[in-house]
Amino acid sequence: MRYRSQTYGSIAFVERNFALVRRYIGWEAVFVSYNVVNALAIGLIGARMGKDMIVYLVVGAMVWGFLSILFHEISESIAWERWEGTIEYTFMAPISRFIHLIGNCLWAVVYGVIRSSLILAIVVLFFGISIKGANLPGLFVILIVSGLSFVGLGLVAAVLPLLSTEKGAYATHILEAALLLVSGVYYEIEVLPVWIRPLSYVSPATYTLRAMRAALLDGAGFDELMPIILLLLVTGLLLVPLGMLIFSKAEHYAKKKGKLKRSG
Amino acid sequence: MEAVKCDGLIKNFGKDGRKVSAVDRVSFSVSRNEVFGIVGPNGSGKSTLIRILSTLLIPDAGSARVFGHDVVREYGKVRRVINRVSVDAAFFKGISAWENLRYAARLYGMAKGDAKMRSREILAKLGFAEKRMYEPLEDLSRGMQQKVAIARAFFTAPMLLLLDEPTTGLDPRSKLDVQEYIREAMQREVGDLTIILTTHDMNEAEALCDRVAIIIDGRFVTLGSPSELLAEYDKSALEEVFLEVTGRKWKEIEDEV
């Protein structure tokens, strides 16, 4: 029998998640519609304040949607695997946890970018906004690079469903909302109470929002965006190993306490 | 070198503030190409033992080695040579048998073509119609799902197969298909396959296992080949041995109280 290298195993997760999305395509359409309606509703808040304000708010909705997809795909896949009982089979397979989680994250980033693009396209059409001057390639580079940091945080969040199938996945939403709250999702961080602001400065989402708004509203070029791109890249390169480390500690704990099993 | 060697394995769980001993000082070894049976009542520690050998559970004390590799420190090496079937056919139920098998094949680094060929071959022997491979698993019966689980375990060609109640809940026909496949595999893979089988079915243990251990409250209370156990307890069937052993245990508990 022919065997391939372990890195090839990361495709398993992309392929599996794609099969699941295809299988539940109707529900995916419902979730995308929810994201679209949410983005439109938020955009409408700024309708009387001009198109720039609509874009400003919609960027917040886009980042929220993107972060939700990432957290959902990473931590929910752990919750789902625990629920289905497949987690024991995934965890006992001869594949490193790094490859396993990278496979899940790869899918999450690709799927998140596709859905965010769709939302942006619908919002632009709905409000009749011109994005001629916007730096769209820059926008997507920011989204992808931010994905790295969000993946690191998503891995930390994935610990919760690993330890509690029933409540863990819901608890990840709290982390997601708190992150966006301190990052200026629909407002400038200057409006936040002073004691919260230090959290804004260390949150990668603050820089994602700032850079995406600059790319869309001001058409900021790559030279202007580069410091933030590098900052997000470095943050991601620190957060991903940290997330992996925390996840592996949680896995060890789950294996000590027998928390991987569904029954029996 | 033995396929499996366990020395003084202990695993306790905390439940409602008290300690529950799931595996209590268990020691045994399994030779290569042996079918080793573990039988015991529900909650006796069979699955805990299987999970320790599967690298999914860390024992509190003692050691377990699979082909010389420690299941805690060298779990990566152990995972390359094992596979498992559990009592629940755990799958992504919304996608098809083939999509689930392809996922497993990727995790084990198998080429897609080989995986398809092997799974077709195994499923055909288990009496599973090929066209049903493409239906969502949630549309298949429990017996059919369990056959897919058997295929998933066998098609990676493991050296140690951990079968945790693989026939529980199956109809008689499916049960026979699975038992026949295990018997055939042992003959076909002479020297390359070792099986640890947990079961409630004494006839199954008698028919398939070279040696059988009876586990009660996490402890092995007797171990031997079916013929040795029959002779030792002067019984004509393993089921009678099981009742005798478990009955004796209950008597001991009652005496202690």
Side-chain angles (χ1 to χ4, degrees):
Chain A
M1 203 181 306
R2 287 179 294 130
Y3 285 90
R4 293 170 191 266
S5 78
Q6 226 195 54
T7 45
Y8 198 71
S10 57
I11 294 171
F13 301 94
V14 176
E15 217 169 45
R16 180 201 69 189
N17 290 348
F18 179 68
L20 285 165
V21 165
R22 204 177 47 190
R23 165 69 176 154
Y24 298 110
I25 193 73
W27 285 111
E28 290 301 320
V30 170
F31 299 142
V32 172
S33 306
Y34 168 72
N35 287 150
V36 169
V37 169
N38 195 38
L40 293 178
I42 289 160
L44 284 167
I45 295 170
R48 288 199 169 175
M49 289 175 264
K51 293 200 169 165
D52 279 2
M53 181 51 85
I54 294 173
V55 174
Y56 182 93
L57 291 170
V58 165
V59 166
M62 260 178 84
V63 172
W64 196 311
F66 183 64
L67 194 64
S68 296
I69 295 163
L70 251 62
F71 273 37
H72 179 270
E73 291 297 322
I74 298 167
S75 64
E76 190 79 357
S77 78
I78 298 293
W80 199 342
E81 285 226 45
R82 272 200 73 181
W83 185 253
E84 295 273 27
T86 53
I87 197 160
E88 289 197 325
Y89 288 88
T90 302
F91 274 40
M92 65 174 272
I95 188 166
S96 74
R97 197 60 59 237
F98 179 76
I99 298 292
H100 167 200
L101 295 171
I102 285 298
N104 262 338
C105 297
L106 186 68
W107 161 261
V109 172
V110 171
Y111 191 46
V113 169
I114 292 171
R115 274 176 61 165
S116 300
S117 311
L118 190 66
I119 291 166
L120 180 66
I122 293 171
V123 165
V124 164
L125 289 173
F126 184 88
F127 289 106
I129 298 166
S130 167
I131 48 169
K132 270 184 188 161
N135 178 4
L136 287 180
L139 181 88
F140 287 108
V141 168
I142 293 288
L143 208 56
I144 291 165
V145 174
S146 304
L148 206 60
S149 300
F150 295 159
V151 157
L153 296 169
L155 290 172
V156 177
V159 165
L160 300 169
L162 186 67
L163 302 179
S164 170
T165 329
E166 295 80 11
K167 309 287 178 201
Y170 295 110
T172 60
H173 298 307
I174 299 168
L175 189 66
E176 179 188 309
L179 184 72
L180 291 165
L181 173 81
V182 302
S183 305
V185 62
Y186 300 123
Y187 39 81
E188 293 299 304
I189 56 169
E190 285 70 27
V191 304
L192 290 167
V194 176
W195 60 271
I196 291 183
R197 281 185 222 167
L199 294 172
S200 310
Y201 301 136
V202 295
S203 164
T206 303
Y207 305 97
T208 304
L209 287 158
R210 194 176 289 168
M212 282 179 69
R213 283 171 180 146
L216 260 182
L217 286 167
D218 310 329
F222 277 105
D223 49 339
E224 284 174 79
L225 296 175
M226 198 48 74
I228 293 184
I229 291 174
L230 289 175
L231 180 76
L232 287 170
L233 200 60
V234 171
T235 312
L237 292 175
L238 291 172
L239 284 175
V240 170
L242 180 71
M244 293 274 181
L245 181 72
I246 291 171
F247 190 90
S248 68
K249 296 276 179 209
E251 182 185 346
H252 186 81
Y253 174 81
K255 282 162 72 177
K256 281 288 273 184
K257 299 289 177 190
K259 285 186 175 286
L260 292 179
K261 68 172 183 173
R262 182 179 58 176
S263 61
Chain B
M1 186 202 299
E2 296 100 338
V4 175
K5 187 158 175 52
C6 294
D7 279 314
L9 271 186
I10 296 175
K11 186 69 201 174
N12 300 313
F13 294 112
K15 201 176 178 183
D16 304 328
R18 63 193 169 88
K19 191 177 85 175
V20 175
S21 187
V23 174
D24 188 8
R25 288 164 286 166
V26 168
S27 300
F28 68 99
S29 57
V30 180
S31 308
R32 280 172 182 252
N33 203 34
E34 184 180 5
V35 180
F36 185 84
I38 303 174
V39 298
N42 290 330
S44 58
K46 303 186 295 293
S47 296
T48 301
L49 206 49
I50 293 291
R51 283 194 173 94
I52 291 173
L53 292 171
S54 308
T55 76
L56 295 168
L57 203 53
I58 298 173
D60 296 334
S63 70
R65 292 184 163 271
V66 173
F67 294 101
H69 303 299
D70 187 275
V71 295
V72 179
R73 287 192 304 275
E74 299 171 280
Y75 60 85
K77 287 177 181 166
V78 173
R79 287 173 185 170
R80 275 184 222 130
V81 295
I82 62 166
N83 212 323
R84 165 177 174 243
V85 175
S86 58
V87 62
D88 294 316
F91 287 107
F92 289 93
K93 300 281 191 333
I95 56 179
S96 70
W98 165 240
E99 283 165 329
N100 273 284
L101 290 169
R102 185 181 61 192
Y103 168 62
R106 297 267 197 224
L107 294 184
Y108 283 78
M110 288 172 73
K112 203 165 98 177
D114 287 339
K116 196 157 205 172
M117 194 181 70
R118 286 274 290 165
S119 34
R120 271 182 185 155
E121 207 177 279
I122 297 169
L123 287 171
K125 282 186 180 158
L126 289 167
F128 185 103
E130 193 189 330
K131 61 177 182 182
R132 306 215 67 183
M133 269 175 80
Y134 306 102
E135 290 176 26
L137 268 165
E138 62 198 3
D139 295 344
L140 303 183
S141 68
R142 153 117 176 77
M144 293 185 87
Q145 289 183 21
Q146 194 65 351
K147 286 178 179 178
V148 179
I150 300 273
R152 175 174 62 185
F154 273 95
F155 85 157
T156 61
M159 289 170 73
L160 173 67
L161 195 51
L162 303 160
L163 302 177
D164 193 7
E165 299 182 34
T167 58
T168 298
L170 296 189
D171 65 73
R173 179 72 254 164
S174 298
K175 201 173 203 176
L176 283 175
D177 285 341
V178 171
Q179 289 171 352
E180 188 50 38
Y181 187 79
I182 294 170
R183 208 176 283 119
E184 264 183 42
M186 286 308 293
Q187 285 163 2
R188 199 174 51 240
E189 316 280 341
V190 180
D192 289 334
L193 179 62
T194 303
I195 291 178
I196 295 184
L197 169 79
T198 76
T199 182
H200 287 299
D201 184 337
M202 297 302 135
N203 295 329
E204 182 171 277
E206 203 169 338
L208 293 175
C209 302
D210 298 307
R211 286 188 304 148
V212 174
I214 297 180
I215 186 171
I216 298 170
D217 293 340
R219 300 180 78 168
F220 277 9
V221 290
T222 191
L223 194 164
S225 69
S227 56
E228 282 169 355
L229 293 179
L230 295 178
E232 189 184 335
Y233 290 91
D234 192 23
K235 301 289 179 193
S236 57
L238 211 52
E239 199 162 72
E240 293 171 37
V241 175
F242 181 77
L243 291 173
E244 168 97 10
V245 172
T246 51
R248 191 179 285 172
K249 182 71 185 174
W250 279 115
K251 211 177 221 175
E252 282 170 16
I253 293 167
E254 280 168 359
D255 289 344
E256 281 167 21
V257 174

